[in-house]
Amino acid sequence: MGGAVSAGEDNDELIDNLKEAQYIRTELVEQAFRAIDRADYYLEEFKENAYKDLAWKHGNIHLSAPCIYSEVMEALDLQPGLSFLNLGSGTGYLSSMVGLILGPFGVNHGVELHSDVIEYAKQKLDFFIRTSDSFDKFDFCEPSFVTGNCLEISPDCSQYDRVYCGAGVQKEHEEYMKSLLKVGGILVMPLEEKLTKITRTGPSAWETKKILAVSFAPLIQPCHSESGKSRLVQLRIIAGHATESRRLP
């Protein structure tokens, strides 16, 4: 997916193009996109493609197209202090942009299946924290990544204000995804080839909006151990405060 807008010469020009095409529509989202250089999340030998509106995949590392991330960020309607869960958190690019908006009292969790991608995300996060000068006057809700299958989150875990899934969700997993959401919360996910926004308006009431047609790799089904038991993903929210937040240097 991608190719909806012209390539940029640099990150700012890419954002200008996304704004002009109405993929980025709000100031908060624009600020987050400008604060994090997309090229920093590419391997060195592929950086010449970073400002094209195209997805990128190398081994287990994957970035969605900028137009897709723009639609996701706008649909999530992020605000300071919310809790966010990123299912298939990948490089951490999206989670870091979200963290700039959530601020010091937010919660920013990511679940990623591949341990090598978790290590890659941690390296990129460390580089961003050490080198960022864009948001030095803002508090950053630092993402916390755990390894596991996002279909195996412990039922004891708290629900979230905002949830995004970065892999294709089939109809049989829709209710599970909804169960991760607080009342009043927003879930954004590729559901049956459509990027979909679901708002939980009550304990058993939902509003659904189809945003655009997309093509995502499907969720990987859990692998059970020899004992037949799955390994549940444990996530912990500290009430009223982020797992980690810091003021960028």
Side-chain angles (χ1 to χ4, degrees), residues 117-149:
V117 180
I118 290 267
E119 287 309 307
Y120 186 85
K122 288 178 177 178
Q123 291 169 18
K124 296 303 180 184
L125 175 62
D126 181 63
F127 178 81
F128 172 65
I129 290 168
R130 285 189 291 105
T131 62
S132 172
D133 57 5
S134 299
F135 265 39
D136 56 354
K137 62 183 181 295
F138 287 80
D139 285 311
F140 176 52
C141 184
E142 186 174 337
S144 175
F145 304 116
V146 298
T147 306
N149 189 303

